[in-house]
């Protein structure tokens, strides 16, 4: 990678970390399309590794908003979805993986923008957790299914609860990826490369999380992610 590509990657990660630190999700939706264009090796392991830092910091900051009662159901789903994601990674060629990633980005955008109003019940938490586990393991984008259940809750509950879910879920996915040879020293080094952007984005979000999201940020995330996901798909089809 060139110095310019690294700078673009770090800038994208900073923006994504700022958005997720402010509204609860969005890091992967913003960064995956750009990282795929720079170096597909960033997905999924290195980005998941970088995400772990962001979610851990968010847990500490928003710990009073964590809803522990919902987590076991969601994590049960994550455990179900992770091996399904591993199977997809093992079964799909590299070219088709990029096409799948682009499709998952667009699916995430449509899911987030659908206007559905679902409550976090045991059944919906298991279902969303399973879909999040599959999407998170294959493409690092595990946020939208869970965010859909919490979109009507106050920001600190959404951010805190999702941060715990993502932290444990990311560890599950990284262990699974390592077990099948998809996360090693190469992926770890790429994940460490992204850390300055994670820290910068979180630092910025901590100063604006309480005031930022009045609907406009969410709309911007969906618009940008949808456009970039389309670019990934078109590039792969041409």
């Amino acid at each position: 990678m060139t110095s310019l590509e690294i700078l673009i990657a770090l800038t994208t990660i900073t923006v994504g970390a700022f958005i997720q630190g402010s509204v609860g999700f969005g890091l992967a939706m913003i960064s995956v399309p750009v990282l795929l264009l720079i170096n597909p090796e960033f997905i999924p392991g290195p980005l998941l590794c970088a995400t772990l830092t962001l979610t851990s910091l968010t847990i500490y900051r928003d710990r009073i908003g964590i809803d522990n009662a919902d987590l076991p159901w969601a994590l049960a789903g994550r455990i179900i979805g992770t091996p399904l994601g591993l199977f997809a990674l093992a079964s799909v060629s590299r070219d088709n993986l990029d096409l799948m990633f682009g499709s998952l980005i667009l699916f995430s955008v449509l899911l987030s923008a659908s206007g559905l109003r679902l409550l976090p019940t045991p059944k919906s938490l298991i279902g969303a957790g399973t879909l999040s586990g599959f999407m998170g393991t294959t493409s690092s984008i595990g946020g939208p299914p869970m965010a859909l259940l919490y979109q009507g809750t106050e920001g600190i509950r959404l951010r805190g609860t999702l941060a715990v879910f993502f932290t444990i879920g990311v560890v599950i996915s990284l262990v699974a990826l390592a077990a099948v040879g998809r996360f090693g020293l190469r992926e770890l080094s790429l994940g460490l490369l992204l850390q300055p952007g994670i820290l910068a984005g979180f630092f910025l979000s901590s100063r604006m999380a309480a005031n930022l999201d009045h609907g406009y940020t969410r709309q911007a995330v969906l618009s940008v992610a949808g456009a970039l996901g389309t670019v990934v798909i078109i590039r792969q089809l041409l």
Side-chain angles (χ1 to χ4, degrees):
M1 289 180 289
T2 66
S3 297
L4 178 59
E5 288 174 331
I6 293 174
L7 178 61
I8 293 173
L10 287 176
T11 300
T12 303
I13 288 291
T14 299
V15 173
F18 168 70
I19 291 171
Q20 178 155 326
S22 301
V23 301
F25 76 109
L27 170 62
M29 292 180 70
I30 289 294
S31 58
V32 166
V34 177
L35 294 178
L36 280 174
L37 295 173
I38 294 173
N39 184 353
E41 287 185 280
F42 276 121
I43 312 301
L47 182 55
L48 286 173
C49 179
T51 301
L52 191 59
T53 301
L54 176 62
T55 56
S56 298
L57 291 170
T58 305
I59 288 175
Y60 179 76
R61 186 192 66 192
D62 296 328
R63 57 193 179 278
I64 64 172
I66 296 171
D67 188 340
N68 291 304
D70 291 347
L71 288 170
W73 300 106
L75 290 171
R78 182 87 186 202
I79 292 172
I80 296 171
T82 296
L84 298 177
L86 289 177
F87 178 78
L89 285 175
S91 305
V92 181
S93 68
R94 176 72 259 179
D95 289 344
N96 287 332
L97 268 180
D98 288 349
L99 186 60
M100 182 179 74
F101 292 156
S103 299
L104 283 175
I105 293 166
L106 293 185
F107 174 72
S108 299
V109 170
L110 293 174
L111 189 63
S112 299
S114 64
L116 290 174
R117 291 293 182 267
L118 301 177
L119 296 176
T121 64
K123 288 183 179 180
S124 65
L125 285 164
I126 290 175
T130 300
L131 187 56
S132 179
F134 174 81
M135 294 172 62
T137 302
T138 54
S139 65
S140 306
I141 306 173
M146 291 298 298
L148 190 65
L149 299 184
Y150 286 94
Q151 61 182 314
T153 64
E154 60 180 329
I156 194 168
R157 182 189 175 201
L158 185 150
R159 292 191 302 269
T161 305
L162 291 189
V164 175
F165 171 78
F166 292 148
T167 298
I168 299 174
V170 163
V171 171
I172 293 172
S173 292
L174 286 176
V175 170
L177 288 169
V180 297
R182 294 294 297 264
F183 186 77
L185 291 178
R186 170 63 177 171
E187 289 77 17
L188 177 61
S189 65
L190 288 173
L192 293 175
L193 181 65
L194 301 176
Q195 293 298 327
I198 292 289
L199 296 176
F202 178 79
F203 176 82
L204 293 172
S205 75
S206 295
R207 278 145 181 77
M208 299 188 68
N211 303 313
L212 181 65
D213 185 29
H214 298 292
Y216 300 109
T217 300
R218 182 172 177 272
Q219 292 170 10
V221 170
L222 298 180
S223 298
V224 173
L228 292 173
T230 302
V231 169
V232 172
I233 291 174
I234 291 175
R235 188 192 70 159
Q236 201 58 42
L237 292 177
L238 294 178

